[in-house]
Amino acid sequence: MSELYENRELSWLRFNERVLEEAEDTSMPLCERLSFISIFQTNLDEFFMVRVGSLHDQMLLEDNPRENKTNMTAEEQIDAIADRVKILSARHDLAYRELMAELENLDIRIINFAKLDEKDGEYLKGYFEREILPLLSPMTVSKKQPFPFIKNNEIYAVSVLANKDNKERIGIIPCNDGMFRRLIEIPGSKGYYMLAEELILHFLPDVFSGYTVVSKSLVRVTRNADIDADKVYDEELNYRDHMAEVIKQRRKLCPVRMEYTRDMDKKVLKRIREHLNISENMMFKKGAPLDMSFVFDIQDTLRHKPELFFEKRIPQKSAQFDETKPLLPQIEERDKLLHYPYESIRPFLNMLTEAANDPDVVSIKMTLYRLAKHSKVVDALVEAAENGKQVDVLVELKARFDEENNIEWSRMLEKAGCHVIYGLEGIKVHSKLCLITLRTTDGVKYITQIGTGNYNEKTSRLYTDLSLMTANESIGLEAAKVFQKLSLNQVVKNTECLMVAPKCLQNKIIEKIDREIEIAKNGGEGYLGIKINSLTDKKIIDKLIEASTVGVKIEMIIRGICCLRSGVPGKTDNIKIISVVGRFLEHSRIYIFGKGDREEMYIASADYMTRNTVRRVEVATPIYDEKLKDRIRDIFRLTLSDNCKARVQQPDGNYVRVPAGEKKINAQERLYEIAYEEAAGNGSSGKE
């Protein structure tokens, strides 16, 4: 059966390889390729911080568990990761060199001192002495001076220094503490730039005067960021203060990777490695810069060349709403569906603001996971509270890498008079759920919004997501039940229409797959259509395999991790899996069970990952409106037919590009075209 499963971590690396392919794709606009080469790196950084960090923690356990699909130990997974990352890193270095060569054709160059004339060299020497040297904090390591703390993912210039007695010591200088510009323009040579860390590295002899620089390199260390906030809970602190302490602890967790750019004495490398307690296979020599974020500054210098970028796209007004009239009555009249980034998030924001000021609205309840830096959602909730509405907000403080933002938002909401609660012990609240309750002459009414993505205005322009707004009473009552349980630090244990993890999502999905299995066994046409970000839940995977073996047709769009291998003869040959990696990050989750009259359709916040299905609060909502079902079905079919940005999974777990047909289909671009066409037909196309 091992031929049917893929290791989670290695599958994720296959996904990041697809991201790298976008940087390598010469048919892409040059500046967009620069974005993807940076995204590949930041993805990999987070992978080491979280996933490799977690594997390191597993290795410390007395009972070292094996991964439940491929039976690999944590150590075996780390070794396999190291081998694969070395291959991908070499490709990343090559892609970087090729992109830099193309930039040279546009008179943009990232240079080193070997390519400078004397005049430019003198300018940089003066610049270094004036602007950088006074801000540096050089350190040496000796018997009297211990090895300094190396911060996570920051660049250091490291050198081997010899004194007059030929006794060696290590010199270390932090290079990116935010006090000076990283990308330095050379005025005498237009379009020539040098990275600050390269400038520091070059002038190390000036910094460590009195020593001979024997060898030198730029170094970056990645630390474990996988810390269980509940396991280290300090009952002496309130939960918000506890999370602030967790953030501080995370910054000091053990190193899991070291990258370096130059050959150094092996003894010195070994000394650094042993001090940091990093295994040899987690040392990676890099040809490309250790931090690629500077490419966005380069993009800014080229904005006057639109041919180097994707065609500009603006989220369109939804044709479903008449924004000259109140929105809540329009939702009461008929369910509405927004599709980001093709349609603007503005109707949802306007709905919240309208609710904050509507005299019939008595309460707003909402779950918040990730928010924009300047959140209009928070503004609306604050306004509602100040207007005397009951505002209950669950702010998930354990949203990884957004903890600090969420702590600040929770303080602001509390100050405004909102009732703020935090996530459940041991369970993250990842649902995208908003409930507006109205008391009218006709009785209590509900407006419920359930989405697949965060309430984040910025990512709503970058991620594909779906957002349902409905006045359906059954959905409203069950949403109210979810909030009631959350306020009591409990979870929902049974539902009728919604699927709500952790108690009633995985089991309901399996029941619906079982129904399709029985249909197929009885000679009918069993069908499953699934669009998610990741698939790791072994119970669901095994049920999908069972369904395939009896003839259920299964079509899956899975952007990232996929631990199931499709197309294996006699086992998964009724399963087709594609991954779309393109201009926008595919993030919407769609579940379709059955065809024709028995078709059931849901949108959800949950992927088919064990962490989502049984260890988080997630919500999937049925789609009842036939027009909306048609629309979601069209989105699914169009994405499935993509032959520009889609890759199809092979039986060995590899992915190959879908062959381009006579007619090129880029699903994301086509969906934007449709949004423009519909907005134009409604007389509202154009800039917001």
Side-chain angles (χ1 to χ4, degrees):
M1 289 288 285
S2 60
E3 65 184 0
L4 302 178
Y5 303 108
E6 182 82 0
N7 174 264
R8 169 187 170 143
E9 319 308 344
L10 299 181
S11 178
W12 184 90
L13 288 173
R14 291 189 195 274
F15 156 67
N16 210 31
E17 181 179 10
R18 299 194 287 278
V19 173
L20 182 57
E21 286 173 359
E22 295 297 293
E24 296 168 331
D25 185 353
T26 56
S27 70
M28 287 260 291
L30 178 59
C31 284
E32 304 299 346
R33 292 171 63 196
L34 288 173
S35 294
F36 279 103
I37 204 164
S38 180
I39 292 168
F40 170 87
Q41 185 187 62
T42 53
N43 282 352
L44 200 59
D45 290 346
E46 185 170 332
F47 174 75
F48 271 92
M49 286 190 287
V50 177
R51 297 306 308 166
V52 177
S54 175
L55 291 172
H56 271 271
D57 291 344
Q58 288 180 35
M59 288 173 62
L60 300 176
L61 299 175
E62 288 185 18
D63 179 22
N64 190 347
R66 289 181 177 270
E67 191 260 345
N68 70 348
K69 289 172 277 289
T70 57
N71 205 35
M72 297 173 73
T73 64
E75 187 173 8
E76 288 169 342
Q77 291 178 76
I78 287 174
D79 288 343
I81 287 166
D83 291 343
R84 188 64 190 149
V85 168
K86 284 181 169 65
I87 294 169
L88 292 176
S89 291
R91 279 179 58 182
H92 182 258
D93 290 346
L94 176 60
Y96 173 76
R97 290 196 299 271
E98 291 175 346
L99 284 168
M100 291 302 105
E102 292 192 42
L103 281 173
E104 287 192 11
N105 296 328
L106 299 168
D107 296 323
I108 301 287
R109 291 171 174 82
I110 306 296
I111 49 86
N112 56 37
F113 269 82
K115 296 181 179 179
L116 283 178
D117 59 28
E118 185 177 345
K119 182 180 177 183
D120 289 339
E122 285 299 316
Y123 168 80
L124 284 173
K125 181 175 172 51
Y127 182 91
F128 174 77
E129 291 173 348
R130 292 189 316 272
E131 304 291 334
I132 295 181
L133 181 58
L135 302 175
L136 296 181
S137 300
M139 300 165 273
T140 59
V141 180
S142 64
K143 290 182 179 179
K144 293 183 179 180
Q145 297 292 329
F147 211 99
F149 179 78
I150 304 298
K151 294 180 181 179
N152 182 48
N153 282 338
E154 294 201 6
I155 298 172
Y156 292 79
V158 177
S159 58
V160 179
L161 307 173
N163 61 16
K164 293 178 181 178
D165 298 327
N166 286 325
K167 291 183 178 179
E168 291 187 348
R169 62 180 60 192
I170 297 172
I172 300 174
I173 303 176
C175 291
N176 58 342
D177 55 10
M179 290 191 290
F180 43 78
R181 289 202 314 270
R182 183 160 177 237
L183 193 64
I184 301 166
E185 186 172 11
I186 303 168
S189 301
K190 186 174 174 57
Y192 279 59
Y193 299 88
M194 178 172 283
L195 296 173
E197 64 264 27
E198 291 288 348
L199 192 59
I200 294 168
L201 194 69
H202 180 80
F203 285 111
L204 278 182
D206 292 8
V207 179
F208 294 110
S209 57
Y211 293 94
T212 299
V213 176
V214 178
S215 63
K216 59 186 179 180
S217 178
L218 296 171
V219 169
R220 190 172 75 134
V221 169
T222 303
R223 292 182 175 273
N224 183 358
D226 188 54
I227 185 168
D228 189 326
D230 292 308
K231 281 186 179 179
V232 296
Y233 182 47
D234 184 348
E235 293 183 357
E236 297 299 315
L237 299 173
N238 69 46
Y239 196 69
R240 187 165 59 202
D241 291 341
H242 161 68
M243 285 306 302
E245 286 300 313
V246 167
I247 295 164
K248 292 178 184 177
Q249 288 184 44
R250 185 168 65 198
R251 293 176 183 141
K252 299 177 182 179
L253 293 180
C254 69
V256 294
R257 172 182 66 163
M258 189 179 104
E259 300 168 285
Y260 60 101
T261 62
R262 310 285 200 285
D263 286 322
M264 294 186 72
D265 185 281
K266 290 185 178 179
K267 292 180 182 177
V268 174
L269 279 177
K270 183 180 179 183
R271 184 177 172 188
I272 296 171
R273 179 172 62 80
E274 289 177 347
H275 171 78
L276 295 171
N277 196 25
I278 296 176
S279 60
E280 191 170 0
N281 67 348
M282 288 289 110
M283 306 274 284
F284 300 91
K285 185 181 177 185
K286 287 288 297 172
L290 299 179
D291 179 346
M292 299 294 299
S293 59
F294 70 91
V295 302
F296 299 108
D297 293 327
I298 292 176
Q299 286 178 338
D300 289 341
T301 69
L302 295 168
R303 293 289 173 191
H304 62 288
K305 293 181 178 288
E307 68 275 11
L308 301 179
F309 298 86
F310 289 131
E311 179 184 353
K312 187 175 181 180
R313 295 293 199 182
I314 300 169
Q316 294 296 290
K317 293 182 180 179
S318 170
Q320 300 168 84
F321 288 97
D322 181 348
E323 293 189 20
T324 65
K325 298 177 181 178
L327 302 181
L328 295 177
Q330 295 180 57
I331 297 167
E332 287 186 58
E333 186 179 326
R334 187 162 197 168
D335 290 356
K336 309 294 183 187
L337 183 79
L338 294 176
H339 190 197
Y340 312 139
Y342 315 105
E343 293 176 311
S344 171
I345 194 175
R346 194 167 69 181
F348 170 72
L349 299 174
N350 289 347
M351 178 194 75
L352 273 184
T353 303
E354 185 179 309
N357 293 281
D358 190 321
D360 287 343
V361 170
V362 293
S363 71
I364 302 175
K365 302 177 189 293
M366 202 165 182
T367 59
L368 300 180
Y369 194 76
R370 299 189 196 278
L371 293 164
K373 190 173 182 180
H374 305 288
S375 176
K376 294 178 182 177
V377 170
V378 171
D379 290 345
L381 295 175
V382 166
E383 185 176 3
E386 291 175 345
N387 286 341
K389 314 294 184 189
Q390 175 65 36
V391 180
D392 297 338
V393 188
L394 187 144
V395 181
E396 181 49 81
L397 297 187
K398 299 192 291 288
R400 186 179 279 122
F401 305 128
D402 268 324
E403 298 98 337
E404 288 178 279
N405 289 335
N406 288 0
I407 287 170
E408 290 306 311
W409 288 128
S410 69
R411 288 180 177 139
M412 182 183 293
L413 289 163
E414 276 188 352
K415 188 176 179 180
C418 301
H419 174 223
V420 178
I421 57 177
Y422 307 115
L424 309 182
E425 185 176 345
I427 297 174
K428 283 186 181 180
V429 179
H430 188 251
S431 56
K432 323 301 178 188
L433 185 63
C434 175
L435 178 67
I436 298 167
T437 304
L438 303 92
R439 183 182 290 118
T440 71
T441 54
D442 296 326
V444 174
K445 294 182 179 179
Y446 299 104
I447 299 291
T448 312
Q449 182 276 337
I450 303 174
T452 67
N454 296 301
Y455 300 114
N456 186 317
E457 299 95 300
K458 181 179 178 180
T459 57
S460 73
R461 302 174 75 96
L462 303 171
Y463 296 3
T464 75
D465 272 307
L466 294 164
S467 173
L468 174 73
M469 288 169 275
T470 179
N472 181 281
E473 185 177 13
S474 298
I475 290 176
L477 287 169
E478 289 207 344
K481 184 178 178 181
V482 172
F483 281 109
Q484 182 185 32
K485 291 295 184 182
L486 289 175
S487 67
L488 297 173
N489 200 35
Q490 298 173 358
V491 297
V492 172
K493 294 185 178 179
N494 56 77
T495 59
E496 292 297 325
C497 57
L498 298 179
M499 298 186 196
V500 183
K503 295 296 185 181
C504 38
L505 188 140
Q506 184 198 65
N507 57 334
K508 287 180 176 289
I509 289 169
I510 288 174
E511 286 171 7
K512 293 179 187 303
I513 298 174
D514 275 332
R515 185 191 69 181
E516 297 307 304
I517 289 172
E518 289 305 310
I519 294 287
K521 282 181 177 179
N522 292 321
E525 186 181 3
Y527 177 78
L528 300 168
I530 300 161
K531 183 180 185 297
I532 49 179
N533 298 319
S534 299
L535 172 64
T536 68
D537 187 316
K538 191 169 185 296
K539 284 189 176 181
I540 293 178
I541 289 172
D542 288 344
K543 189 58 66 173
L544 292 170
I545 293 170
E546 181 185 346
S548 175
T549 59
V550 299
V552 176
K553 183 180 180 182
I554 304 170
E555 296 176 314
M556 305 181 77
I557 303 164
I558 305 175
R559 170 175 54 86
I561 301 166
C562 180
C563 294
L564 168 65
R565 290 184 177 179
S566 59
V568 177
K571 297 291 185 180
T572 58
D573 42 0
N574 284 308
I575 301 176
K576 176 183 179 181
I577 297 174
I578 70 163
S579 170
V580 174
V581 177
R583 175 175 182 172
F584 306 110
L585 185 139
E586 288 292 335
H587 195 254
S588 54
R589 289 94 167 187
I590 300 169
Y591 313 158
I592 303 171
F593 305 98
K595 281 192 171 184
D597 293 340
R598 57 185 181 79
E599 178 191 68
E600 293 182 73
M601 183 181 293
Y602 293 77
I603 64 168
S605 60
D607 292 313
Y608 287 3
M609 303 180 78
T610 309
R611 73 177 190 190
N612 297 98
T613 57
V614 298
R615 292 202 295 270
R616 287 185 176 182
V617 174
E618 306 272 12
V619 175
T621 181
I623 304 297
Y624 293 134
D625 185 281
E626 290 301 324
K627 282 191 175 181
L628 297 189
K629 289 175 76 171
D630 289 342
R631 187 178 177 205
I632 292 172
R633 199 180 303 111
D634 288 345
I635 292 167
F636 185 84
R637 303 308 309 174
L638 179 58
T639 307
L640 202 63
S641 67
D642 189 297
N643 59 18
C644 291
K645 294 300 176 184
R647 284 84 164 169
V648 61
Q649 191 197 52
Q650 305 299 295
D652 63 358
N654 283 310
Y655 287 75
V656 299
R657 285 188 180 272
V658 173
E662 291 183 13
K663 182 181 179 183
K664 287 187 176 181
I665 302 173
N666 183 320
Q668 293 183 348
E669 291 298 333
R670 179 60 191 138
L671 285 165
Y672 239 124
E673 289 170 4
I674 292 170
Y676 272 83
E677 290 164 3
E678 291 182 348
N682 197 44
S684 58
S685 180
K687 188 173 182 179
E688 292 191 294

